[in-house]
Amino acid sequence: MNTLKLMALDTEDLEIVSAHVQDAVFKVSDIAFNARSGQFSIELNRFVWESAEERSKVYERRRAVLLFKRVSAVRSIGFDRRDIDKVLSLLALRFEQNGEGPDGKLELLLSADATIALDVECIEAQLADTGAAWETGFKPRHPAA
């Protein structure tokens, strides 16, 4: 098993990380924000898209950590953060820059029109597989609108 380790420092890097976390699932209890250190993280079960085309009926999910640094504030819309067992599905990451500086809003777009918005000083994200992996017969589908 090749473990994935990625870092994003700009919007192009973030698009690559976004592709690797598309259709990842996690519980609300897997979300953590440390205001003192400015770190926001999610432990998630990511779908292994990079090997999905090689397989016909069996796919893989892996446990991974998605970490954002230099986060000053976190907001969530569309789900109750007190419902710690609620399962959320991550669809994409998006960054909106504030003016000409490196700061902006980094959004985690979730299914059911839910969003987690991070105010960041700049893009500094890491994605790393943590070891646990398992097979799944289900490949997420996204019908054309």
Side-chain angles (χ1 to χ4, degrees):
M1 175 177 90
N2 296 329
T3 57
L4 185 72
K5 291 184 180 181
L6 298 175
M7 177 175 265
L9 298 173
D10 60 28
T11 54
E12 289 179 15
D13 295 344
L14 192 65
E15 289 174 8
I16 293 167
V17 171
S18 180
H20 285 283
V21 295
Q22 180 180 1
D23 298 307
V25 293
F26 59 94
K27 289 184 177 182
V28 171
S29 62
D30 294 325
I31 300 170
F33 175 54
N34 184 322
R36 177 171 280 186
S37 66
Q39 293 189 5
F40 174 87
S41 64
I42 302 175
E43 294 180 37
L44 44 81
N45 301 330
R46 75 176 190 89
F47 185 82
V48 183
W49 283 106
E50 63 269 25
S51 64
E53 298 305 318
E54 300 170 9
R55 303 168 195 255
S56 59
K57 294 183 180 178
V58 178
Y59 304 100
E60 185 177 322
R61 282 197 178 268
R62 292 185 188 165
R63 194 71 172 157
V65 173
L66 180 60
L67 172 69
F68 298 95
K69 296 182 178 181
R70 302 179 184 266
V71 178
S72 59
V74 177
R75 293 174 307 286
S76 59
I77 301 165
F79 66 95
D80 183 353
R81 290 185 293 178
R82 295 171 297 186
D83 185 0
I84 61 172
D85 290 323
K86 177 153 181 76
V87 176
L88 302 170
S89 180
L90 181 56
L91 301 178
L93 305 174
R94 179 174 60 195
F95 179 71
E96 293 180 19
Q97 189 172 348
N98 289 337
E100 294 183 25
D103 63 316
K105 180 171 65 171
L106 201 153
E107 293 181 313
L108 290 79
L109 306 175
L110 309 172
S111 62
D113 292 324
T115 303
I116 299 172
L118 311 177
D119 291 339
V120 296
E121 294 175 23
C122 61
I123 296 173
E124 189 172 339
Q126 297 173 2
L127 172 65
D129 290 341
T130 58
W134 59 95
E135 292 182 348
T136 179
F138 176 74
K139 180 180 179 182
R141 294 183 180 199
H142 298 276

